[in-house]
Amino acid sequence: MPLILDSPPPSPMHDSPSFIRRHEHHISDVIIVGAGILGCALAITLARQGRSVTLLERSLKQPDRIVGELLQPGGVEALGKLGIRDCLEDIDAVIVKGYEVIYYGEGVEITYPRRTTGVVEGIRPEGRSFHHGRFIGRLRETVLKEENISMVESTVTGMVKSGHTGQILGVQCTTQARPEVYFADLTVIADGYASRFRKEHLTRSPISRSKFWGLELIDAVLPRALHGHVVLTEGAPVLLYQIGTHETRVLVDVPESVEKDRVGRGGVKGHLREVVLPSLPACVQPSFERALDEGRLRSMPNSFLPASTNRTPGVIMLGDALNMRHPLTGGGMTVAFNDVVLLRELLSPEVVPDLGNTRLVRRQMRVFHWRRKGLTAVVNILAQALYDLFAANDPQLKSLQHGCIRYFELGGACIDGPSGLLGGIIRRPLVLFYHFFSVALLAIWLLLGQSKLAQIPGAVLESVNIFAKACRVIMPVIWSEVWA
């Protein structure tokens, strides 16, 4: 028998027809592949709507990853809407009030904006940071309490497809070295950034230009407590944020060109010691050096994957299998939980009584694709555009980077707008467009203002180049959001 995990206490529901169909016949309303962030949240949500759910996961051991550790306020709010905000408790999660951007040693505080509506008007929202594995553990504990879910440790190896219609009918698995088959009206693929099924069902592939190399610092002293930190110098950005009372995550962006260049010269570890360490705030350097000497250095690719519409009947792709952006802004989990909030509405039993009605499900998923863009377009565009600015490697991008920092220093709306977009609070792409080009115009103004009279003609030409560079940074990402 496969390893099937259900709610431990005996229950009359274990004699229900849906329970028997899941366990004895491997038939359910929904199969979800991947018990990660999105998979667990979606399973809980659908089960609470009365759907019978089979949740398949290759390994139910606590995952150990270096990303998926910072949840923006918009994600915390989504957890509340889904009724699973308590999963943030008892995992030593740390409050996140905003960011500290350190630009060549000069710090700028960026706090989340005060709410202007609702019962908590005037209160600044907060995010949370934590160990990824501990949070996943809490989500899976909640899954086990749901009567309508069976969570199975099994490796999905393929799809079961109708030879006549092409509809996906279920999945093929390997459970404890034995082949098995599970059937459902709807199969959800949420198997993460390295999805093995993406090529079969989507037209786009991830693009990666760099990796995050991560270390865990112990008892690090950060310049500003309860804030994420972005360190900007000559190289690519460095992120620092607490993930526990004593633990701090550091993520160093290392472009592919740098990684190749370091071959035979100490590798990435040599780069971290010789280039990154001296650029960090003095209070962080001792713990960083200790972690570099003693800790485990790991990496994750920083991928960009615009979402595309699902075209295969009977299956939908979600989470990182569908859509990724550079993790610089920490927006991935916020997008995932808000996707589940939207799917709760669009696929509710009142709207879609039968998930086997593939025509209706596909129509609702087209609605999902466009309605989610209020948030996801903002998160995706902001992540890619900010990365280009923060990893500036030419004079025009350096000017835009400088303009960005000076824009933040103006305070007021120049912080509230960008931080609201970053936090998943403001969900209007036009607001992002406005602030991005305000930064570009400020960068041009700063260039012209510091130019002597004889330098004005060259500065005007460079201003055109700066504006053109700004367009080349943001327009392709906007186009990728529009084209589906």
Side-chain angles (χ1 to χ4, degrees), residues 7-290:
S7 187
S11 166
M13 289 295 291
H14 286 189
D15 296 325
S16 68
S18 63
F19 178 85
I20 293 172
R21 290 177 76 231
R22 283 199 311 274
H23 282 257
E24 296 186 8
H25 307 294
H26 291 183
I27 298 174
S28 53
D29 296 328
V30 184
I31 292 170
I32 299 176
V33 180
I37 294 292
L38 187 138
C40 287
L42 183 61
I44 295 164
T45 299
L46 295 178
R48 290 177 180 178
Q49 291 182 325
R51 308 286 195 187
S52 176
V53 181
T54 299
L55 179 59
L56 303 173
E57 170 57 42
R58 180 176 58 84
S59 173
L60 290 174
K61 294 179 181 178
Q62 180 172 294
D64 184 15
R65 297 180 60 192
I66 61 170
V67 293
E69 298 174 316
L70 194 151
L71 184 63
Q72 298 287 1
V76 175
E77 182 180 332
L79 281 181
K81 291 178 180 178
L82 296 172
I84 52 175
R85 183 167 175 167
D86 60 336
C87 291
L88 292 172
E89 299 172 2
D90 301 321
I91 59 172
D92 196 24
V94 178
I95 292 172
V96 179
K97 296 184 176 182
Y99 282 82
E100 177 85 353
V101 179
I102 301 172
Y103 179 68
Y104 291 91
E106 177 185 354
V108 181
E109 183 185 9
I110 302 174
T111 55
Y112 298 120
R114 296 185 186 277
R115 294 190 182 276
T116 57
T117 59
V119 295
V120 290
E121 182 177 346
I123 301 298
R124 292 190 186 275
E126 297 172 342
R128 292 291 187 276
S129 54
F130 39 73
H131 275 273
H132 176 83
R134 294 174 189 169
F135 184 50
I136 292 292
R138 290 285 284 132
L139 288 170
R140 290 176 180 173
E141 288 174 13
T142 304
V143 165
L144 294 177
K145 297 175 184 177
E146 297 296 326
E147 298 282 3
N148 288 333
I149 304 175
S150 294
M151 184 160 59
V152 185
E153 188 173 63
S154 186
T155 300
V156 177
T157 56
M159 301 284 113
V160 179
K161 182 183 293 187
S162 168
H164 177 62
T165 63
Q167 178 179 339
I168 300 301
L169 305 176
V171 298
Q172 299 171 330
C173 307
T174 300
T175 308
Q176 296 179 355
R178 291 191 300 272
E180 294 189 317
V181 179
Y182 287 82
F183 297 96
D185 294 327
L186 179 65
T187 299
V188 176
I189 305 297
D191 58 342
Y193 76 96
S195 173
R196 65 184 300 170
F197 302 105
R198 184 185 292 122
K199 289 183 179 179
E200 297 178 30
H201 304 292
L202 298 181
T203 57
R204 293 172 164 175
S205 299
I207 299 170
S208 177
R209 295 183 294 164
S210 68
K211 291 179 183 177
F212 261 151
W213 288 81
L215 287 167
E216 186 174 302
L217 313 186
I218 303 300
D219 293 326
V221 179
L222 297 177
R224 192 176 296 274
L226 306 182
H227 284 65
H229 292 71
V230 183
V231 181
L232 303 178
T233 54
E234 288 299 326
V238 177
L239 296 186
L240 293 147
Y241 52 89
Q242 270 189 274
I243 54 175
T245 302
H246 298 283
E247 303 90 359
T248 294
R249 175 70 66 205
V250 58
L251 296 173
V252 180
D253 187 88
V254 179
E256 288 181 348
S257 57
V258 172
E259 190 172 349
K260 291 177 181 177
D261 185 58
R262 295 296 306 196
V263 174
R265 297 195 300 119
V268 170
K269 197 167 187 177
H271 171 74
L272 299 183
R273 190 180 301 278
E274 298 166 15
V275 178
V276 175
L277 175 61
S279 71
L280 296 176
C283 58
V284 176
Q285 290 183 17
S287 58
F288 184 89
E289 190 167 20
R290 285 197 304 271

